[in-house]
Amino acid sequence: VGDTDDALVLRVTQGDKLAFAQLVERHGARLMALTYRILGNRALAEEVVQEVFTRAWIAAPQWRHNADAHRAFAAWLSRVATNLAIDQLRKPRGLPLEAAPEMADPGTDATSEMITQERLARLRTALVQLTPRQRAAIALTYDQGLSNRAGAAALEISVGAFELLLVRARRALRIAMTEDET
Amino acid sequence: VTDEEFIALLDERGGERTCWPVALLPATETLLENSARARAALQAMQRAEALLSVAADHGIFDAQGLAARVSCRAQQRTGIRPLSLIAAGALALAVGILFGMTPTNDSALIGSVQAALNGETSDAW
């Protein structure tokens, strides 16, 4: 609810910090989820998101005359965030992937909570072992809810290549989550 | 549909039945009734997909703090643009060339040049 992205971007081009804060509020958490999934490190993810919005601020004038600014702006943010996160992993300093915050669910008993935590640990281990692009494909599909076409555009690859990344990533996660049912 | 085909379908489309080809649904249901391996694969995929949202949780996101930091950083970065420096350098060069090509107003120098051209020189050979 509120101004559309294009209206906010127009205000940003006029130096409106409040409009900019609204854009960060609207897209920030989504981009954090995306970059955190790829990087597995909160500090690095926040650094990347900060850089994405810095570039958005600087690039704001180019969105003024874009008739499809709402969708285009959101897609642009995803694309820049994905690529910056992958680039970040290529840097030699590479901070280790950290454990995600523990999720306390008051509605479950201790045993099922323990099982959930054990499964989560296995899933995280499997995610860490994926390539950055496979993690990005998972994030764009499951966290961002993008279609294969939009995901491919965010990664700047063909739809076929994106689908291949997804197949390999899903296979790895499925195998990691397979349990002996007997 | 064989186990292998079903597992390939899972890897390609995920564990959500609505994402599978409609034409394959009856055959997959039959397979799931009869194959423990297919059921285990489906459960594993659905487990992974259900937990993905939990595993992506990154804690609290401070949007206002980030917006404030970004606007400061962006202003710092756009304060002096490299392009402006290049433009200023080019302008200075152009002004330098322009002044360098302008004839001087030194009448003594002009007079001596004219005298030399007219052969009115006192140089002895």
Side-chain angles (χ1 to χ4, degrees), chain A residues 17 20-21 24-25 28-29 32-33 36-37 42 46-47 49-51 53-55 57-58 100-101 103 116 119-120 123-124 127 138 142-143 166-167 170-171 173-174 177-179 181, chain B residues 7-8 10-15 36 40-45 47-49 51-64 66-67 69-75 77-78 81:
Chain A
K17 289 184 181 178
F20 185 71
V24 175
E25 186 87 43
M32 267 300 286
Y36 180 72
R37 171 79 78 200
R42 187 180 154 75
E46 200 164 311
E47 197 178 304
V49 172
Q50 190 166 311
E51 177 60 23
F53 280 113
T54 304
R55 292 186 184 194
W57 174 284
I58 293 167
M103 298 296 295
T116 302
R119 285 175 176 166
L120 260 177
L123 182 71
R124 288 189 184 120
L127 282 166
I138 287 289
Y142 288 98
D143 304 330
L166 262 185
V167 165
R170 282 200 187 106
R171 183 184 303 144
L173 298 186
R174 174 179 55 75
M177 299 310 292
T178 301
E179 293 171 3
E181 306 290 336
Chain B
I7 289 169
L10 284 179
D11 293 343
E12 194 182 317
R13 303 286 184 102
L42 175 62
Q43 282 168 357
M45 183 62 84
R47 215 174 274 139
E49 289 175 330
L51 287 174
L52 275 173
S53 60
V54 181
D57 187 80
H58 51 75
I60 298 160
F61 174 66
D62 174 18
Q64 287 186 340
L66 185 77
R69 287 196 301 278
V70 166
S71 60
C72 285
R73 190 167 156 179
Q75 280 171 349
R77 212 180 280 186
T78 54
R81 290 170 186 271

Side-chain angles (χ1 to χ4, degrees), chain A residues 15-92:
Chain A
D16 187 336
K17 289 184 181 178
L18 194 64
F20 185 71
Q22 278 181 266
L23 280 173
V24 175
E25 186 87 43
R26 185 174 295 173
H27 296 285
R30 179 176 71 81
L31 295 181
M32 267 300 286
L34 173 63
T35 54
Y36 180 72
R37 171 79 78 200
I38 297 169
L39 291 163
N41 180 287
R42 187 180 154 75
L44 280 182
E46 200 164 311
E47 197 178 304
V48 167
V49 172
Q50 190 166 311
E51 177 60 23
V52 172
F53 280 113
T54 304
R55 292 186 184 194
W57 174 284
I58 293 167
Q62 81 188 47
W63 299 100
R64 282 176 107 158
H65 306 295
N66 192 328
D68 194 21
H70 174 71
R71 233 178 319 171
F73 185 69
W76 182 88
L77 289 175
S78 295
R79 189 170 69 247
V80 174
T82 304
N83 289 318
L84 283 178
I86 291 172
D87 286 348
Q88 187 73 252
L89 284 174
R90 292 193 183 119
K91 290 182 182 173

